[in-house]
Amino acid sequence: MRLLLLVALIPLLGLVGPAAAILCAETVVVTIWMVQLARLGFRAKLSDVIWRPLTAGVAMTLVLFAAHDATLLWRLGAAGLAVVVYALVLVALKTFSVEEVHHAREGLAFFSPFVASWAKKLKRNS
């Protein structure tokens, strides 16, 4: 489905086509998830779920739009800043619960040993 949207929207919208296609595809996926959760008895209103990430996305877009006429180096810097702005807005709006933050930290604790083990394997094979 995503590939079909990409193929259809790139000629129409140019470089904005892939972003629009992914937005459409992910909206469909989230809608399907919400319907499935509702069937299981977990009610969630889309407006309650989406406004925080949407606000962060708008803030990110403003940063990127401010640099759209800049040189490549400034655009790369703006892209990095936009990611930071997105994350800060999500945190400022308290998007994640304490439990979700705890789970994320727990998951990240496995990342460092995983990378270290792969680095050892790569060194042995070299």
Side-chain angles (χ1 to χ4, degrees), residues 1-2 5 16 30 43-44 49 57 65 75 78 86 91-92 94-95 99 106 110 123:
M1 179 174 151
R2 290 178 185 152
L5 282 170
V16 178
V30 169
R43 297 275 177 207
V49 174
F65 186 73
R75 285 183 184 185
Y86 184 80
V91 170
K94 298 179 181 172
T95 304
E99 184 180 359
E106 187 178 311
F110 290 101
K123 285 181 184 177

Side-chain angles (χ1 to χ4, degrees), residues 8-111:
L9 291 178
I10 289 174
L12 293 173
L13 302 175
L15 292 176
V16 178
I22 290 172
L23 177 65
C24 293
E26 292 303 317
T27 301
V28 169
V29 169
V30 169
T31 303
I32 291 169
W33 287 348
M34 291 183 76
V35 168
Q36 292 298 326
L37 286 171
R39 288 182 182 167
L40 294 172
F42 299 101
R43 297 275 177 207
K45 292 182 183 175
L46 185 60
S47 60
D48 293 343
V49 174
I50 200 73
W51 77 269
R52 288 177 182 96
L54 189 60
T55 303
V58 168
M60 183 181 199
T61 301
L62 292 174
V63 171
L64 292 173
F65 186 73
H68 81 282
D69 286 332
T71 64
L72 179 61
L73 186 61
W74 282 103
R75 285 183 184 185
L76 291 173
L81 178 62
V83 170
V84 171
V85 166
Y86 184 80
L88 289 175
V89 172
L90 288 178
V91 170
L93 294 176
K94 298 179 181 172
T95 304
F96 308 107
S97 69
V98 173
E99 184 180 359
E100 289 170 328
V101 171
H102 174 72
H103 288 305
R105 286 183 180 165
E106 187 178 311
L108 288 174
F110 290 101
F111 185 72

Side-chain angles (χ1 to χ4, degrees), residues 107-122:
L108 288 174
F110 290 101
F111 185 72
S112 179
F114 177 75
V115 171
S117 72
W118 273 97
K120 285 180 187 178
K121 288 179 184 179
L122 288 174

